[in-house]
DNA sequence: GGCTCATGTAAAGGTCGTTCACATGAGCTG
DNA sequence: CAGCTCATGTGAACGACCTTTACATGAGCC
């Protein structure tokens, strides 16, 4: 593999041409491997085939690279949450849960981004762009909560959407960070993180008075038989949101 | 500054006498200041007034010191959760919420421990003692959930205690890690992390069918009914667990 | 008094982050 | 095209850190 570096160097000449991007990609790979703590500026430079000093032409320091990655992470996060929310189709509750699953999926499938975003010690307000990206992502959850709150069953007080959003965020982040990633995933669980979160959200929504009597989650892999917004039944699925005991 | 070291040195002679403990304390202080990532083996040694190589007589490497701290953290955590649970007095739901608050309080008041335990990258299974301590702490939550599950209102299926425990843990950890510590605390919230978590747990419990207005439950398999105001400062306010909109 | 071994030290090698003076060459200007 | 400029990359150097190794110290025990 070490010939690669030489080759690259020969291929590209003195100037790299796209170093900033190359460094971001390299860092992403390194973080995925060894975590943000283990990631090294020097390693990223090596991987891009440049000297250790070169990165400083593109990032003030190691932290700036890290926060750039966190920012990109939030941007991708936002777009995945947006897609999952799909503007509340086919019904609000279904879409809402899909957002929860998308959260976990992101944490699982993009460990490097997730790490940089939430576990690297990069403060949210490290730079304005980062903060803005983070807020945009959260606003997806918030908007979804808003729609959900608007459906609050009559007779019950309408829950504040902001609070719901924060609750959902904390559940998703808690599950992701405790059970769904890296070493944390070694904790042995009686159910998958996805199931765990889905049950948690369903119970929570039921606590708010939302009808959550939909098919048992994990069992039917197919799209739901589209229950109308005003779901008629008022019960709980046969085994509750956590499925039936085996 | 350098005289200090000399002074100390003169005071204590060649052998420190209690270096292991001194290093743990020093590390704790440093982690509280700069986070586990910023904490340095060399700094801890300096702070204890010994050479940089001395710590290696007591810890295989930096990571072992870190996991020792995490272990101690879990032990203290366990004892605080135990105290908060107080064997379910005065009633199960009240005690259960007190455990949630104790979780947050620990995260807030012992940032160094919390950091080492959950945010330092130390794998839970770094060593058997750590893993055991971690499990003992979780078992408090689990035992509490067990008691709570046993009170499940008749007519509803009894929720698996393990699942409840995992749910509560994820809520507490999610809130703590997103909103209650360090930089994370800079996110602006419409309510305090404690209130946020309390509402979350109450809604969740209501979703499971538990009465959360904290009036003594109708069926008393429960310890003596105690006035609602006993510990939490309130029953559920008129507008629901989240209080009235301001 | 003398031995032994846990505990501490100094020195050294390797890695990093970061800076600085200098090199290169892509692109503009004429 | 010649020449200039400036963004971009290099190499060397500094100090801090982690860790190992050979050596020093002295507390506890015979």
């Amino acid at each position: 593999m070490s010939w690669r570096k030489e080759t690259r160097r020969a291929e590209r000449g003195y100037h790299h041409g796209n170093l900033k991007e190359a460094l971001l990609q390299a860092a992403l790979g390194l973080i995925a491997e060894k975590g943000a703590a283990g990631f090294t500026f020097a390693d990223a430079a090596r991987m891009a085939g440049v000297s250790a000093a070169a990165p400083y032409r593109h990032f003030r320091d190691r932290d700036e690279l890290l926060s750039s990655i966190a920012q990109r992470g939030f941007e991708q996060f936002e777009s995945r949450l947006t897609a999952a929310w799909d503007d509340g189709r086919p019904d609000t509750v279904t879409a809402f849960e899909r957002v929860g699953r998308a959260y976990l999926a992101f944490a699982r499938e993009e460990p490097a981004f997730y790490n940089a975003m939430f576990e690297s010690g990069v403060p949210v307000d490290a730079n304005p762009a980062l903060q803005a990206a983070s807020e945009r992502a959260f606003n997806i959850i918030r908007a979804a909560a808003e729609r959900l709150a608007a459906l609050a069953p009559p007779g019950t007080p309408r829950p504040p959407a902001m609070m719901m959003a924060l609750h959902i965020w904390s559940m998703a982040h808690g599950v992701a960070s405790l059970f769904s990633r890296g070493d944390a995933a070694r904790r042995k669980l009686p159910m998958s993180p996805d199931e765990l979160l889905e049950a948690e959200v369903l119970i929570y929504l039921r606590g708010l008075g939302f009808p959550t009597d939909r098919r048992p989650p994990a069992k039917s892999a197919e799209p739901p038989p589209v229950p109308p917004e005003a779901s008629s039944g008022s019960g709980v699925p046969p085994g509750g949101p956590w499925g039936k005991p085996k």
Side-chain angles (χ1 to χ4, degrees), chain A residues 28 40 75 122 147 163 174:
Chain A
L28 213 46
T40 252
E75 286 159 1
V122 173
R147 282 271 288 278
M163 183 196 74

Side-chain angles (χ1 to χ4, degrees), chain A residues 63-126:
Chain A
D63 282 351
E64 193 182 279
L65 200 175
L66 225 45
S67 69
S68 287
I69 292 195
Q71 181 189 329
R72 284 193 178 205
F74 277 112
E75 286 159 1
Q76 296 210 15
F77 193 45
E78 181 197 357
S79 83
R80 290 184 61 160
L81 293 184
T82 302
W85 171 237
D86 190 23
D87 209 30
R89 278 177 288 257
D91 68 276
T92 307
V93 171
T94 299
F96 201 72
E97 285 163 23
R98 210 170 38 215
V99 170
R101 276 192 298 277
Y103 194 114
L104 282 193
F106 185 85
R108 200 179 330 100
E109 292 161 22
E110 300 287 356
F113 277 132
Y114 200 84
N115 193 318
M117 293 156 65
F118 293 114
E119 302 163 347
S120 66
V122 173
V124 206
D125 53 359

